[in-house]
Amino acid sequence: MHNSKYLLYIDILGFSNLVKEDSPKIERLFTIIDNLNMHKHFDFQTIVFSDTILCFNSGVPTTHDEYLVMYACEFVQNLLYRSADLGIQFRAILTYGEFFYEKLSHIEKYYGKALVEAHDKEKEINGIGLFIHKDILKYNTNFETVCFDKDLHFVYLMQCMESLLPYAHEIPLRNSVVQDVIDPSHIKLEVRVLETVKKNIDDTQLDSKIRGKYSLTYLLYQQRYGELIDVLEKNHFECNIISPDVDWESF
């Protein structure tokens, strides 16, 4: 297909409310976005406007599809980790299709069917997180997924939770076990994301439609990490339950 790209379309959720409330989170959010890993990779280019982030492979792909898909997913994982402390969520679609980009004298020109389709599809998704189009799912070799609808699969970005799964029935774990299988700083962030999603279901979110998006996403996490989530819920999402031997405050 002429001028086809791997296009990552990210929508920051609740952005307009943050602006209306003059929230200090806005400045922190843009600092986070400005320092994402996607800006440092020579095979990708990024455009940011308001609450939308576009990331796509620059030029004609010179590397394997698996490589580009892996990095695109890792870019979203990086955003997930960095925004965890802000309690800010996003919805992202990774797709492949026609996308044109050119830097003109005074503006950036970009458009394409992939962008229009990602924009339209993103608004339909009754959930949060990263979703990958079924047509490129075969190139995803690093992250677990589950079918979400006729076009998309939900991507499980929580790789520390994946690593903990085989040990779920042994919790609490010894410090040595934790250090061998996960990065404590990352599991702490993943637990915080789960806690934020749960709070938006139970307490924070008053809009029923938005609460429904959180509920469905949490259900997807429960379907995969059920035993781990049960333990975390019973202990108010305190990481100490995973291992009391780890100095979680240092991470």
Side-chain angles (χ1 to χ4, degrees):
M1 189 185 300
H2 178 62
N3 228 58
S4 290
K5 305 282 188 183
Y6 283 97
L7 178 66
L8 183 60
Y9 181 101
I10 305 174
D11 179 39
I12 304 297
L13 303 179
F15 186 83
S16 59
N17 286 335
L18 292 177
V19 174
K20 291 174 184 176
E21 296 164 4
D22 197 23
S23 172
K25 286 185 179 182
I26 289 287
E27 291 299 323
R28 293 172 61 192
L29 173 62
F30 275 106
T31 298
I32 287 170
I33 293 173
D34 190 47
N35 287 280
L36 291 174
N37 290 346
M38 61 179 64
H39 305 300
K40 303 172 185 177
H41 200 294
F42 62 88
D43 275 330
F44 290 88
Q45 192 160 348
T46 305
I47 302 169
V48 178
F49 54 97
S50 188
D51 59 352
T52 303
I53 305 169
L54 301 180
C55 183
F56 52 95
N57 54 286
S58 52
V60 178
T62 57
T63 50
H64 297 298
D65 297 272
E66 290 88 350
Y67 169 90
L68 295 171
V69 169
M70 177 190 71
Y71 271 103
C73 291
E74 288 184 354
F75 295 156
V76 186
Q77 183 187 57
N78 184 232
L79 175 61
L80 179 76
Y81 287 162
R82 287 175 177 260
S83 61
D85 285 336
L86 288 182
I88 288 176
Q89 303 292 333
F90 57 84
R91 192 160 44 242
I93 292 180
L94 178 58
T95 188
Y96 180 80
E98 186 181 70
F99 182 74
F100 298 89
Y101 172 85
E102 183 181 358
K103 188 170 179 58
L104 304 180
S105 298
H106 304 290
I107 64 170
E108 293 176 290
K109 177 183 72 176
Y110 51 92
Y111 65 95
K113 292 178 181 177
L115 176 57
V116 173
E117 290 170 1
H119 172 271
D120 292 346
K121 185 66 178 179
E122 185 269 327
K123 301 305 179 187
E124 299 175 3
I125 297 175
N126 186 33
I128 58 177
L130 172 62
F131 300 82
I132 185 171
H133 198 280
K134 65 179 181 180
D135 290 347
I136 58 173
L137 183 63
K138 61 186 176 182
Y139 299 124
N140 168 47
T141 58
N142 291 79
F143 294 88
E144 297 295 331
T145 68
V146 65
C147 181
F148 185 78
D149 64 18
K150 64 182 181 63
D151 298 314
L152 303 173
H153 280 239
F154 176 76
V155 182
Y156 291 100
L157 297 171
M158 298 188 178
Q159 290 181 306
C160 287
M161 295 291 287
E162 294 289 336
S163 298
L164 276 179
L165 266 181
Y167 303 91
H169 63 286
E170 300 177 23
I171 289 177
L173 305 172
R174 298 189 309 277
N175 182 21
S176 58
V177 175
V178 173
Q179 299 288 350
D180 283 345
V181 299
I182 62 170
D183 179 336
S185 63
H186 284 173
I187 192 62
K188 188 174 180 179
L189 292 174
E190 291 181 7
V191 169
R192 190 161 299 158
V193 171
L194 290 170
E195 181 182 17
T196 299
V197 174
K198 189 68 166 66
K199 282 183 176 179
N200 272 276
I201 298 170
D202 296 340
D203 306 313
T204 310
Q205 191 51 249
L206 300 178
D207 187 309
S208 61
K209 287 184 65 176
I210 298 176
R211 190 165 62 245
K213 299 178 191 296
Y214 282 97
S215 295
L216 182 54
T217 304
Y218 198 69
L219 177 62
L220 294 174
Y221 285 132
Q222 285 179 313
Q223 288 174 348
R224 182 152 188 87
Y225 309 125
E227 191 172 353
L228 287 171
I229 289 179
D230 287 345
V231 170
L232 289 169
E233 279 188 11
K234 290 174 183 176
N235 292 273
H236 310 289
F237 294 92
E238 294 291 338
C239 288
N240 280 339
I241 190 58
I242 296 173
S243 175
D245 300 331
V246 175
D247 181 13
W248 296 101
E249 294 300 320
S250 65
F251 297 103

